[in-house]
Amino acid sequence: SDGSIRLHQMTSEYPLMQWNDSTNGQPVIALQWALTRPAVFFVLDASSNIYIWDLLENDLLPVAKQTIPSENVVTMTLLGEPEKTNGLLGIALAKESGQIDVQYVKKKWALP
């Protein structure tokens, strides 16, 4: 609820990494690891901002931020086929009105 993100290992109650105020204090609505690329995850906050984290590129800050204008996004999920190496990765965004918007991610964050 405070915008912090914690990365845990299943064998420990203490986080391996913790990023405080990673969304400028906005609650995290959804977080999902990329299906096609290890070390990349996506975060949706309550202000309809999507943050892309690539831990191999920068483990302190997100590598990109995209604001979804016009309407509140209530949740997201990632679409892709991890067994394929074509680098196709999509984000399905569910908006407050019930509309679903599918966007593709740049190849640099999707390629295995």
Side-chain angles (χ1 to χ4, degrees):
S1 66
D2 63 359
S4 63
I5 298 171
R6 293 171 194 87
L7 176 64
H8 284 267
Q9 185 175 7
M10 296 297 287
T11 57
S12 174
E13 65 183 279
Y14 301 104
L16 294 173
M17 295 282 295
Q18 181 167 327
W19 299 277
N20 294 321
D21 200 33
S22 63
T23 58
N24 297 318
Q26 290 295 314
V28 173
I29 302 298
L31 185 149
Q32 190 171 353
W33 287 97
L35 301 170
T36 58
R37 185 177 174 95
V40 173
F41 64 91
F42 296 77
V43 176
L44 171 67
D45 75 11
S47 293
S48 299
N49 295 303
I50 297 174
Y51 302 84
I52 302 173
W53 290 77
D54 184 344
L55 299 178
L56 297 178
E57 186 177 326
N58 186 342
D59 64 358
L60 299 176
L61 299 167
V63 294
K65 175 184 171 184
Q66 178 68 47
T67 301
I68 307 300
S70 75
E71 193 177 343
N72 283 345
V73 177
V74 294
T75 194
M76 73 170 184
T77 193
L78 297 178
L79 312 166
E81 298 177 274
E83 63 278 354
K84 293 192 177 177
T85 58
N86 59 9
L88 284 178
L89 181 65
I91 302 178
L93 305 169
K95 297 185 176 181
E96 207 168 43
S97 67
Q99 180 183 12
I100 303 292
D101 186 17
V102 177
Q103 299 184 6
Y104 286 99
V105 174
K106 287 183 179 180
K107 294 250 187 213
K108 70 179 185 176
W109 295 310
L111 285 172

